[in-house]
Amino acid sequence: IRLVRPDVPEPIIEVMERALRVRPEDRWPNGDLMRRALIDAALQGGVAPSEDEVASFVEQIVGARLASRRRTIEGSLEGRASPLVTMDPGTSPSEPSVTLGQAAAPWIGAMGLLAAAAAAGVALITVGMTTAWWYSHDGAQAETTRVPDTPLLGPTITVALAPVNDANVMLVDYEPLRVWLEKKTGHPVRMLPAATYGETGKWLLDGRVSLAVLPPYVYIEATRTPGVTPIAMKLFDGSTGTDGVMLVRDDSGASGAKDLSGKTVCMADPESSTGYLLPRAWLRQNGVDPETSITVRITGNHFQSIRDLEQGLCDAAGTYSGAWLAAEEAGISPARFRVLAITGRTPHDAFCSGPSADPAIVKQMQDALLSFDPKRDLGVDRVGDAERITGFVAVEDNRWDDLRKALAAEKSKKPK
């Protein structure tokens, strides 16, 4: 794309290149995630066509087919014989047999993005239509989907996610909860992974997002600002907290902190509690200066820290017990590592609202989160193989007090 059309905005190129990667596992997991990424890329690239332009483009490309399917839906709704709606019989045998219902809006949304791309002169039609057709088809996912009882109304609720683990894994893990929150609140809900922990808090403070799921360190820093309000804390496999751990490979000869002197230690992010703050505090407490005695390798997220440890890019990794236990989700065998030490304990991530959030919407989201029961509401024991969400509880701010003390102590020891 860069060679043929150097005027195409870089964010759009990045989305397209991911869609065209050789290995399927490196591409977008499903069409909806690609659609969301294209929306963000279009906005970043200054592509913002009017509704009239979008409507005109969609009509040119698929107007007749959409009209046919609309008649199918209306006929089904009149009879109310079945809550399931299938595509019209005219679908080509070479195309996946998908259904409308919830798939219709994202499909049309993807076409709208094609219109946005067309307005910028970007040729995304082939990949965009492939993405649209394959929406709701990921592995053995069901081939039918229910028509929503009521349309989603009002402003989109955007929730920032800190990059605790791989962005793709987090989006897939949060997807069932996102869909349920839409149904519960009646608002469109969008999950937006940030590039860094700090960016998550910044987006919340500057109003780019209404809500953010804040890890403990970022929670402490963000809640210093008036108007940042914690509304619910995540339960991970039923627990309200997690252990920070220092991992080494199973064949490592290290038996304590001093064995890491002169070595490389992987850490997730400078604003991660279990992936930076607690490992450094543990090293100091055990006679190893993290400023001078080790080399720190910042990896960006916990899964990447464990992955780099596995590949020999570091000799130890500061992370949290949940990431180690769920590492298999990222293609890493947990059995290849052992815990050198428990570095401390932190509360789990908390949903927080920002200063500019609409109080009525915040209350809706809080009520929805605190009432969420994955077994009752979704028929599963937990949401996500890595996030492992089993519900939410009210926030008790004193849970962060021990971490606040550790943060203050660490800041006092860092060179000016």
Side-chain angles (χ1 to χ4, degrees), residues 241-259:
T242 188
D243 287 329
V245 295
M246 183 68 78
L247 290 183
V248 294
R249 289 183 295 277
D250 189 53
D251 59 0
S252 170
S255 60
K258 292 186 177 178
D259 292 325

Side-chain angles (χ1 to χ4, degrees), residues 17-239:
E17 286 184 337
R18 178 171 175 183
L20 296 170
R21 286 176 185 168
V22 174
R23 300 194 314 165
E25 59 267 30
D26 292 337
R27 303 174 200 154
W28 296 101
N30 58 54
D32 190 40
L33 294 181
M34 182 179 172
R35 177 182 69 87
R36 293 161 189 265
L38 277 172
I39 290 171
D40 291 335
L43 293 175
Q44 292 176 46
V47 181
S50 69
E51 290 184 7
D52 288 344
E53 289 175 305
V54 172
S56 175
F57 184 81
V58 172
E59 179 64 27
Q60 293 174 36
I61 301 298
V62 291
R65 178 163 295 187
L66 287 178
S68 172
R69 287 169 196 169
R70 190 178 302 114
R71 289 192 296 271
T72 302
I73 292 176
E74 290 170 353
S76 295
L77 291 178
E78 285 177 8
R80 302 298 288 182
S82 170
L84 301 179
V85 179
T86 59
M87 275 189 168
D88 62 305
T91 302
S92 166
S94 64
E95 296 166 347
S97 176
V98 300
T99 60
L100 284 182
Q102 292 175 349
W107 191 85
I108 296 171
M111 293 308 300
L113 252 298
L114 294 181
V122 184
L124 304 182
I125 293 178
T126 302
V127 176
M129 291 190 73
T130 301
T131 297
W133 281 120
W134 280 96
Y135 176 77
S136 288
H137 275 258
D138 184 11
Q141 190 168 343
E143 293 187 356
T144 53
T145 181
R146 292 183 180 276
V147 176
D149 294 330
T150 56
L152 299 176
L153 303 173
T156 298
I157 303 171
T158 305
V159 183
L161 302 176
V164 176
N165 294 316
D166 295 347
N168 291 345
V169 172
M170 294 184 68
L171 284 172
V172 171
D173 274 9
Y174 269 102
E175 183 65 7
L177 176 63
R178 185 195 69 78
V179 173
W180 183 84
L181 287 170
E182 285 190 337
K183 178 180 177 182
K184 190 74 173 176
T185 65
H187 290 277
V189 176
R190 177 168 165 244
M191 301 293 185
L192 185 63
T196 65
Y197 281 53
E199 189 174 59
T200 314
K202 182 177 182 298
W203 286 354
L204 188 67
L205 296 179
D206 67 18
R208 176 169 176 177
V209 299
S210 307
L211 300 168
V213 184
L214 300 182
Y217 190 130
V218 184
Y219 169 93
I220 291 173
E221 294 297 318
T223 51
R224 299 180 195 275
T225 301
V228 175
T229 306
I231 63 173
M233 185 173 70
K234 182 175 71 176
L235 293 177
F236 182 101
D237 277 345
S239 71

Side-chain angles (χ1 to χ4, degrees), residues 365-402:
M365 286 290 285
Q366 182 178 39
D367 290 346
L369 290 168
L370 294 180
S371 69
F372 178 62
D373 180 337
K375 188 71 173 179
R376 179 195 65 214
D377 299 326
L378 300 177
V380 296
D381 292 329
R382 64 189 183 208
V383 172
D385 292 330
E387 292 298 315
R388 304 164 84 97
I389 299 170
T390 53
F392 296 88
V393 295
V395 174
E396 298 174 5
D397 188 69
N398 60 4
R399 292 178 182 273
W400 282 262
D401 285 348
D402 288 344

Side-chain angles (χ1 to χ4, degrees), residues 256-396:
K258 292 186 177 178
D259 292 325
L260 300 182
S261 185
K263 306 292 187 181
T264 299
V265 178
C266 282
M267 297 187 184
D269 184 285
E271 293 190 323
S272 167
S273 53
T274 55
Y276 189 84
L277 171 63
L278 293 181
R280 290 170 62 89
W282 174 78
L283 287 166
R284 287 188 194 279
Q285 292 163 8
N286 289 276
V288 178
D289 186 348
E291 303 292 345
T292 61
S293 298
I294 65 166
T295 299
V296 174
R297 177 183 175 86
I298 299 298
T299 64
N301 68 67
H302 289 273
F303 277 175
Q304 193 59 49
S305 290
I306 302 173
R307 193 179 287 118
D308 285 2
L309 175 60
E310 180 182 43
Q311 295 175 357
L313 299 176
C314 51
D315 303 284
T319 183
Y320 68 101
S321 57
W324 173 43
L325 294 173
E328 198 165 4
E329 177 66 14
I332 308 164
S333 172
R336 299 196 62 183
F337 312 97
R338 61 182 173 87
V339 175
L340 181 64
I342 294 177
T343 58
R345 190 166 179 83
T346 70
H348 285 307
D349 301 349
F351 271 75
C352 295
S353 62
S356 61
D358 183 332
I361 291 178
V362 170
K363 183 64 165 62
Q364 282 184 298
M365 286 290 285
Q366 182 178 39
D367 290 346
L369 290 168
L370 294 180
S371 69
F372 178 62
D373 180 337
K375 188 71 173 179
R376 179 195 65 214
D377 299 326
L378 300 177
V380 296
D381 292 329
R382 64 189 183 208
V383 172
D385 292 330
E387 292 298 315
R388 304 164 84 97
I389 299 170
T390 53
F392 296 88
V393 295
V395 174
E396 298 174 5

